[in-house]
Amino acid sequence: MFSNSKDKKPATTAMTLPSNNDKDNAQTTVIAKGTVIEGKFICSENVRLDGAVNGEVRVDKRLVMGDGSSVQGNIHARDAAIKGRIKGDVYVKEALHLMDTAVIEGNIHARTMIVEEGARYNGSCKIGETSGAMPAMAAASSK
């Protein structure tokens, strides 16, 4: 019923981002719920977005949009996992994961895409074609 404190193991914490399988072990920029960014947002690391961006979003690595997050503008990222709302085109160089609460009003360009039940998108969808995503990412990297 009671345990000796010597028997207790230290608590471990799990990191949401970057995940243990992230190839480059990048740092993560967090945009908290209630935060609104007006204008272009550019980040060279991973981004966890729980707030809102009214403008273009460029992420060199992984973008994760949480439940209730939103972007009004185009998105460019290497990888993306979406639970929020996007009104704009999405350009993902590698993998796009639309989770159950994702809503996209715009065109999608990605190498691969996973769509969970409940996710919605309204626009054209080009999967496997990286021509739309690669020049946009190259332009962001050269600035």
Side-chain angles (χ1 to χ4, degrees):
M1 185 166 158
F2 295 101
S3 65
N4 186 342
S5 62
K6 293 178 187 175
D7 296 337
K8 290 186 180 179
K9 294 181 181 178
T12 59
T13 58
M15 293 177 59
T16 304
L17 280 176
S19 65
N20 291 336
N21 61 2
D22 190 13
K23 299 173 195 165
D24 48 23
N25 293 321
Q27 297 295 313
T28 301
T29 299
V30 178
I31 312 300
K33 184 177 182 178
T35 302
V36 177
I37 296 175
E38 296 286 342
K40 185 184 280 190
F41 177 78
I42 301 172
C43 185
S44 62
E45 298 295 331
N46 292 321
V47 172
R48 169 66 193 218
L49 174 63
D50 289 314
V53 177
N54 296 322
E56 183 178 16
V57 174
R58 288 185 179 268
V59 177
D60 287 349
K61 296 181 181 167
R62 182 172 173 78
L63 170 66
V64 175
M65 290 181 61
D67 216 356
S69 64
S70 68
V71 171
Q72 289 196 12
N74 294 340
I75 293 177
H76 301 265
R78 182 193 68 196
D79 297 293
I82 311 297
K83 288 191 85 155
R85 300 180 73 86
I86 300 168
K87 190 168 190 175
D89 295 341
V90 178
Y91 300 89
V92 177
K93 188 175 176 183
E94 297 294 333
L96 172 63
H97 187 164
L98 301 182
M99 300 166 103
D100 60 344
T101 57
V103 177
I104 298 178
E105 294 178 38
N107 301 318
I108 297 171
H109 302 265
R111 180 171 290 163
T112 62
M113 184 168 80
I114 298 170
V115 181
E116 290 185 5
E117 184 176 349
R120 298 177 293 170
Y121 63 90
N122 187 14
S124 70
C125 186
K126 295 187 180 190
I127 303 303
E129 295 182 19
T130 56
S131 59
M134 292 178 91
M137 291 302 293
S141 299
S142 66
K143 293 183 180 180

